[in-house]
Amino acid sequence: MTDFLSALASFFSYPFVQKALLVGSLISLSAALLGTTLVLKRYSMIGDGLSHVGFGALAIATSFHIADVAVGFALPVVVIAAFFLLRLSENSKIHGDAAIALISTTSLAIGYMVMHKNGTNVDVGNYMFGNVFTITDSDAVFSVVLAIAVMLLFLLFYHKIFSVTFDESFSKAIGVSPALYNGMIAVLTAVVVVLGMRMMGTLLISALIIFPSLTSMRFCKSFFSVVTVSAGISLLAFLLGILLAHFLDFPAGSTIVVINALFYLAGMIFSKIRSRL
Amino acid sequence: MALITCEALSLGYEGGTVVSDLSFTVEKGDYLCIIGENGSGKSTLIRALLGLKEVSRGKIRYGDGFSRQGIGYLPQQTLVQRDFPATVTEIVCTGFLNRKRFSFFYSEKEKKEAADIMDKLSVSSYKEKSYKALSGGQQQRVLLARALCAAKDLLLLDEPTVGLDPLMSATLYRVIQQLNREGLTIIMVTHDMEAALRYASHILHLHKDTSFFGTKEEYDHCQVCAQFLDEGETPHD
């Protein structure tokens, strides 16, 4: 037991671990906050589509040796893609769905082509599955500032975001513009996706956005509790994931997703049992 | 000046006009029912009155101290809402978002007002319940309570009794009638001809190029309208 505690203490004493904990916690929280609205609006796949666009943008940035500003380059590209996907989803459900698949695969293909051609020896796996322990200092500062900004904006416009999520027609009729708040959600999602990509990778970041909300929806009655509980679940899954990953030598991103999946399973069983009682 | 004046109004979507050359006025305290077949443009007209839809031709003028901040709206329910995790109170309070606000929390005054409205509509007994756990009639009342939090002058309702049993519908109509007696102007789209003729003060019957607008008494004595009613009885949907 004392061995374990001292191992834990030494783990937390590493600066790169502290950095990973700070950045990861903030990104997990902001992803969970946005997740509730995205899931309820049936926009879950937008996060996934955006992460692939992000991969393409990051790959291009790295190949042209502007890796230092890679995130800064990817962010505007993904924000533009977010607006585009939102527009498509609003116009027609089926077309929006197909368009996401189209844009994801194209971005992925272009990204990999550029990487391959320029022969950079960047590990593709790192882009696909991320690594929370290798975040650079400048990325960390960038992530902390933006994640806090996402959370503040969400809290500031919480009621309006809720109203627009629940009923666009009513909101618009009383002067709360769905276009404005949907646009805001799209931009914030783009930011979270870009920040989360370093940590979770292209393939796993959307899990961080949708899983905690889906879990809390299994047993929460109010919107407020869904949002707060999913933030809690997300944080817990991140902390457990990063510890397990370290001590059992698993990849961190994948471990966080698997723990989120287990939480979801537990939530499902809990709500099934409760409905039987 | 009337609360709402529509002059030679035309509404349509790409590739077709739904409503053409329509003129009518709504005075303070009126209870206007908009009736007509499916596709005659009832909901489109409501959306235009709310500013949710652009007018193709003609004009909608608002007067008599009317402000956009005094509108309440009861839209048709959407699929997303059926399994939405939110409590009744959370939903009702969004009606207050039409006012300028900078605080994260609703004020005591607003909470009191919401509680009064929920009492009036007999929603209070399930105000902490989740919306998705309610029956169709209860959900409709919750949305009406939300509309009332926003409505100071005018309440627009888009087929409020769709999917409700006759008993629930009758209760809802009584509530709306009571609100009208207390001075609220009502504009309601409905399929329910009987209810329209019983509760409304004015009728707007949308029918291709020969729409009717007038008081209920005029409608009762209108020959063309009798013809509409006959047509309306043949199944069309």
Side-chain angles (χ1 to χ4, degrees):
Chain A
M1 189 66 197
T2 43
D3 282 355
F4 176 71
L5 284 180
S6 63
L8 211 57
S10 79
F11 172 66
F12 285 122
S13 68
Y14 293 119
F16 78 92
V17 171
Q18 291 165 354
K19 193 167 65 189
L21 280 174
L22 176 67
V23 172
S25 306
L26 289 174
I27 292 175
S28 301
L29 282 174
S30 44
L33 290 183
L34 293 176
T36 307
T37 301
L38 292 173
V39 168
L40 288 169
K41 277 182 156 308
R42 314 289 192 263
Y43 285 169
S44 306
M45 285 310 288
I46 287 184
D48 198 54
L50 289 180
S51 64
H52 290 76
V53 175
F55 171 83
L58 275 188
I60 291 170
T62 317
S63 299
F64 291 112
H65 307 292
I66 46 173
D68 290 343
V69 289
V71 173
F73 173 74
L75 193 61
V77 174
V78 177
V79 166
I80 291 167
F83 270 113
F84 192 60
L85 288 179
L86 189 72
R87 202 23 88 70
L88 286 170
S89 303
E90 275 169 357
N91 288 346
S92 138
K93 283 271 180 279
I94 302 156
H95 287 140
D97 205 36
I100 290 175
L102 215 100
I103 291 172
S104 314
T105 47
T106 310
S107 317
L108 209 56
I110 293 174
Y112 188 58
M113 255 167 72
V114 173
M115 274 173 113
H116 182 82
K117 203 67 196 163
N118 285 353
T120 43
N121 52 0
V122 182
D123 180 11
V124 178
N126 213 346
Y127 278 92
M128 292 299 186
F129 303 103
N131 189 345
V132 69
F133 294 116
T134 57
I135 293 172
T136 62
D137 281 350
S138 62
D139 272 1
V141 172
F142 197 67
S143 299
V144 168
V145 170
L146 281 180
I148 289 174
V150 167
M151 287 188 269
L152 284 179
L153 278 172
F154 183 86
L155 289 180
L156 199 59
F157 296 105
Y158 168 81
H159 290 293
K160 289 180 174 167
I161 290 172
F162 166 60
S163 181
V164 167
T165 309
F166 182 71
D167 193 337
E168 291 197 0
S169 295
F170 179 80
S171 304
K172 194 169 177 192
I174 64 165
V176 178
S177 162
L180 177 67
Y181 293 99
N182 284 341
M184 186 198 287
I185 288 288
V187 172
L188 296 185
T189 307
V191 171
V192 167
V193 163
V194 171
L195 299 184
M197 256 173 5
R198 276 295 164 87
M199 164 183 160
M200 302 294 293
T202 304
L203 296 181
L204 298 178
I205 172 67
S206 60
L208 204 63
I209 296 175
I210 60 172
F211 255 127
S213 306
L214 283 174
T215 306
S216 57
M217 275 177 215
R218 300 301 305 206
F219 51 86
C220 289
K221 283 196 300 185
S222 69
F223 188 78
F224 183 75
S225 61
V226 170
V227 170
T228 44
V229 170
S230 63
I233 288 175
S234 186
L235 195 60
L236 191 63
F238 167 73
L239 294 175
L240 275 176
I242 208 168
L243 281 174
L244 274 181
H246 176 75
F247 287 110
L248 302 176
D249 193 25
F250 286 144
S254 313
T255 314
I256 293 167
V257 174
V258 169
I259 286 174
N260 265 308
L262 290 175
F263 279 169
Y264 178 73
L265 204 66
M268 204 166 76
I269 292 167
F270 174 77
S271 69
K272 280 263 167 16
I273 291 172
R274 197 172 59 170
S275 67
R276 291 273 169 81
L277 293 178
Chain B
M1 193 183 166
L3 199 61
I4 300 176
T5 313
C6 286
E7 288 167 0
L9 192 66
S10 291
L11 300 169
Y13 293 94
E14 282 162 46
T17 311
V18 200
V19 172
S20 63
D21 204 24
L22 181 69
S23 298
F24 66 94
T25 54
V26 180
E27 302 283 343
K28 222 173 205 168
D30 279 358
Y31 189 148
L32 172 69
C33 273
I34 304 175
I35 52 183
E37 290 174 33
N38 285 347
S40 59
K42 304 186 295 286
S43 296
T44 314
L45 178 58
I46 286 270
R47 294 178 66 80
L49 290 175
L50 285 165
L52 300 181
K53 163 122 192 60
E54 280 183 28
V55 171
S56 338
R57 255 181 300 126
K59 224 180 222 158
I60 302 175
R61 280 192 296 169
Y62 302 93
D64 211 359
F66 181 81
S67 127
R68 279 297 295 272
Q69 285 190 9
I71 301 186
Y73 174 43
L74 182 66
Q76 291 184 26
Q77 283 207 41
T78 63
L79 269 177
V80 173
Q81 291 168 0
R82 289 279 147 86
D83 56 350
F84 202 97
T87 63
V88 169
T89 309
E90 281 182 310
I91 292 169
V92 170
C93 284
T94 58
F96 295 125
L97 296 176
N98 59 348
R99 304 168 193 177
K100 279 215 163 47
R101 55 180 316 113
F102 299 100
S103 164
F104 178 77
F105 299 101
Y106 292 106
S107 68
E108 286 305 316
K109 193 167 154 276
E110 285 169 334
K111 283 182 192 159
K112 171 84 172 56
E113 201 178 331
D116 289 347
I117 289 169
M118 287 193 278
D119 275 340
K120 190 147 93 183
L121 299 184
S122 325
V123 168
S124 301
S125 58
Y126 45 88
K127 66 179 178 189
E128 292 309 322
K129 274 200 165 180
S130 192
Y131 183 78
K132 60 184 173 184
L134 304 180
S135 73
Q138 289 172 325
Q139 290 184 339
Q140 203 66 333
R141 274 201 229 192
V142 170
L143 297 189
L144 183 59
R146 176 186 66 170
L148 288 182
C149 286
K152 291 290 155 283
D153 312 310
L154 173 66
L155 181 61
L156 291 106
L157 306 107
D158 196 349
E159 307 210 12
T161 58
V162 162
L164 300 191
D165 62 50
L167 198 68
M168 269 294 185
S169 304
T171 321
L172 199 67
Y173 282 132
R174 265 202 302 281
V175 169
I176 296 164
Q177 187 183 29
Q178 186 55 38
L179 293 168
N180 179 240
R181 284 185 181 149
E182 288 166 16
L184 196 64
T185 310
I186 310 277
I187 300 180
M188 176 165 77
V189 165
T190 183
H191 261 117
D192 188 346
M193 198 69 87
E194 202 182 309
L197 291 175
R198 181 190 291 178
Y199 296 108
S201 65
H202 291 73
I203 302 274
L204 174 61
H205 194 139
L206 296 178
H207 188 271
K208 293 176 195 125
D209 305 324
T210 53
S211 295
F212 169 90
F213 171 72
T215 63
K216 186 173 68 182
E217 289 70 29
E218 287 165 350
Y219 188 77
D220 282 338
H221 298 106
C222 154
Q223 289 301 314
V224 193
C225 315
Q227 210 180 320
F228 290 173
L229 289 175
D230 286 342
E231 277 178 36
E233 271 163 23
T234 54
H236 52 259
D237 53 350

